[in-house]
Amino acid sequence: MTVGPPIEDLHFEDAPNVGSVPGPETRRLLEKQRKIDSSAVAYPDDIPIAFEEGRGATVRDADGNTYIDLFAGIGVLNVGHSNPYVLEAVHEQADKFVHTVDFPTEARLELIEKLDEIAPAGLRGNNRVVFGGPTGSDAIEASIKLAKYNTGGDGLIAFRGAYHGATTGAMSLTSNTSFKEHYTPLLSDVVHAPYPDPFRQETNSQEAVDHALEEVQAIVEDPYGGLANPAGIVVEPIQGEGGIVTPPEGFLQGLRDIADDNDIVLVFDEIQSGLGRTGEWWACDWEGVTPDAMTSAKALGGAGFPLSATIYHEDLDTWGPGDHAGTYRGHVVGMRAGTRAIEYIQERDLLAHARELGEYVRDRLREAADGTDRLADIRGRGLFIGAEFVDESGDPDGDAVDAIQQYCFERGVLVWTAGRHGNVLRFLPPLVLTHELAETALDIVVDAIEHATGAE
């Protein structure tokens, strides 16, 4: 199979190459946006950039400045910007047909078969896929409905630090109170349990796991646990917005055991962590734990097309026609792009590349941490990495992370933030990032850390 150029040929050759940023054309576009776009627009407040084009793991702004992208549209562009192998299929499909609701097409059926091919072992060969609307929130809503429909329950367990989306059900599962306080009441009977995070809880890994599982078990099984009629547990195998919190081994298996013992549905939210991001197809593959249902979006659209899906065990396929619906569940251009992206990852062995390059990034961050006690924790798997910063007193230091982000931007590297206090530097580069580009980018990131923390 010919799958397009190798990853070394995908990028702008001059990255990074920036002058004084933001430049005049970018400033003009930002000002126009402020005048006519929604006040809910957020990202330009952090990085004042107006994009013009992208290739691989590099992007150009409206003034011709070229950046190394360690952000990838929040983990959407796993095979890079404008991947030629993906776009070839996009152009072919767009010239034929774009919107099919849920009528069968080769594009739809090929993607379903491809998702089965890469599904976690316990779902491979015995799953169904329901496509949703354009965002990950739609997949979460489908998983909530699936759990309720199959159990007859209505209670849900989620976790502190969780982010699952901005629609009503997904927002109910999300734990950020400021994010949802203006929109309450949301779903009733959603309980948030602790997520094991040894760094924040100042305990060892096993104690963190034991405590979290004891809480979940009590919520489900204790007659006074507070959740009268549980339907399911919804969890990120690695928390994304919460700060790339990577739970210790045993947590996911413990949730699997509790769900099995109580006949409730276990849902893994793999919207940010899936499709190769962690160096395995799914973050849950690292522990070999299979959920009953799994959500996917972001990178599923291949080249940034809006597409979401919920993959679930065939035993849960009890819906009748129309019991779950959505206008954009037939985006065949996005489906073709998704299949091509999976093929590109397979043929270029990007899972192994993500594991190897991710270890390099973490090693560089560990070296930077040797010079300062303010880079307090480095975690993640593959190219899903978080670096947590604290101040001199050990408290979360979001200001330092903002300063690092700005320093990198001014020198041609785009990084983003995460965490409850905005004090986690988040690395979500395209999986096609080369070692050469990573080395250049990390030189700048390390300089930024030293500048922001006074490291020696």
Side-chain angles (χ1 to χ4, degrees):
M1 180 187 296
T2 302
V3 292
I7 65 172
E8 290 78 12
D9 296 345
L10 296 179
H11 321 279
F12 291 123
E13 293 182 358
D14 62 335
N17 183 14
V18 299
S20 177
V21 293
E25 181 63 12
T26 293
R27 290 197 300 270
R28 184 188 71 81
L29 291 169
L30 290 169
E31 180 58 29
K32 184 175 182 179
Q33 182 181 44
R34 279 190 287 270
K35 289 180 179 179
I36 66 175
D37 208 339
S38 169
S39 59
V41 167
Y43 287 97
D45 291 343
D46 294 318
I47 293 293
I49 190 170
F51 293 111
E52 181 70 20
E53 57 182 326
R55 293 183 188 172
T58 60
V59 294
R60 278 194 181 138
D61 70 13
D63 295 283
N65 296 298
T66 310
Y67 305 81
I68 299 173
D69 182 10
L70 304 183
F71 176 50
I74 329 178
V76 167
L77 297 155
N78 282 13
V79 296
H81 299 268
S82 304
N83 185 296
Y85 181 66
V86 176
L87 292 185
E88 177 186 46
V90 165
H91 295 310
E92 289 174 356
Q93 183 62 53
D95 287 340
K96 294 179 180 179
F97 217 75
V98 173
H99 176 68
T100 63
V101 196
D102 59 7
F103 291 101
T105 61
E106 289 293 340
R108 181 189 190 90
L109 301 179
E110 285 175 2
L111 181 55
I112 291 173
E113 290 175 339
K114 206 66 179 173
L115 288 171
D116 178 65
E117 183 180 320
I118 66 172
L123 287 177
R124 200 171 304 144
N126 55 14
N127 67 80
R128 295 291 184 269
V129 177
V130 60
F131 291 106
T135 73
S137 298
D138 296 291
I140 291 293
E141 298 291 344
S143 71
I144 292 171
K145 292 167 67 175
L146 187 75
K148 291 185 174 184
Y149 196 96
N150 277 276
T151 65
D154 56 17
L156 298 166
I157 299 167
F159 293 86
R160 296 168 201 158
Y163 179 83
H164 296 288
T167 52
T168 296
M171 200 185 308
S172 302
L173 297 174
T174 295
S175 66
N176 186 338
T177 55
S178 64
F179 180 69
K180 59 187 183 180
E181 63 184 348
H182 297 295
Y183 310 109
T184 55
L186 299 170
L187 294 186
S188 59
D189 279 345
V190 175
V191 178
H192 288 85
Y195 194 93
D197 181 355
F199 173 73
R200 295 191 71 254
Q201 294 166 353
E202 297 182 352
T203 186
N204 66 49
S205 296
Q206 190 59 54
E207 288 176 349
V209 169
D210 291 345
H211 172 65
L213 294 177
E214 286 168 4
E215 288 291 317
V216 174
Q217 188 166 13
I219 292 167
V220 175
E221 298 179 2
D222 188 334
Y224 282 73
L227 194 62
N229 197 11
I233 301 169
V234 184
V235 63
E236 297 162 274
I238 297 177
Q239 287 190 338
E241 301 300 320
I244 323 300
V245 181
T246 308
E249 185 176 355
F251 175 60
L252 298 183
Q253 183 59 56
L255 295 179
R256 176 72 276 169
D257 294 341
I258 292 170
D260 288 341
D261 291 345
N262 293 277
D263 295 321
I264 59 178
V265 175
L266 178 63
V267 179
F268 286 169
D269 179 345
E270 293 265 11
I271 291 166
Q272 191 167 154
S273 59
L275 287 164
R277 169 59 48 194
T278 67
E280 296 287 353
W281 281 114
W282 312 101
C284 64
D285 289 339
W286 281 95
E287 288 198 40
V289 180
T290 299
D292 299 304
M294 182 174 68
T295 59
S296 181
K298 290 192 183 294
L300 182 64
F305 287 98
L307 183 66
S308 70
T310 303
I311 305 163
Y312 58 95
H313 196 281
E314 62 186 3
D315 289 350
L316 299 178
D317 195 38
T318 57
W319 277 330
D323 280 341
H324 181 66
T327 301
Y328 287 101
R329 64 192 187 276
H331 194 321
V332 287
V333 175
M335 291 169 178
R336 286 290 304 279
T339 298
R340 281 290 181 99
I342 293 170
E343 290 173 351
Y344 191 86
I345 292 170
Q346 289 174 320
E347 294 301 314
R348 294 298 176 189
D349 199 13
L350 293 188
L351 299 185
H353 178 69
R355 293 192 297 270
E356 178 185 353
L357 195 61
E359 190 57 40
Y360 168 77
V361 173
R362 288 189 292 276
D363 283 344
R364 290 293 306 272
L365 293 170
R366 292 183 190 111
E367 291 172 6
D370 289 340
T372 176
D373 57 2
R374 295 180 58 189
L375 176 43
D377 196 33
I378 300 156
R379 52 186 179 254
R381 294 188 185 276
L383 289 171
F384 195 27
I385 299 168
E388 182 155 351
F389 288 81
V390 298
D391 62 19
E392 293 85 350
S393 302
D395 296 321
D397 193 350
D399 290 340
V401 172
D402 289 342
I404 292 167
Q405 183 184 47
Q406 181 66 25
Y407 184 101
C408 290
F409 166 61
E410 292 172 357
R411 289 155 182 82
V413 174
L414 302 181
V415 293
W416 223 260
T417 66
R420 303 182 187 195
H421 307 283
N423 66 315
V424 176
L425 196 65
R426 173 168 38 167
F427 297 85
L428 287 171
L431 306 185
V432 298
L433 181 73
T434 64
H435 194 282
E436 182 180 4
L437 284 171
E439 185 174 356
T440 300
L442 265 294
D443 287 344
I444 294 170
V445 170
V446 170
D447 284 346
I449 292 171
E450 292 174 352
H451 186 266
T453 64
E456 297 180 358

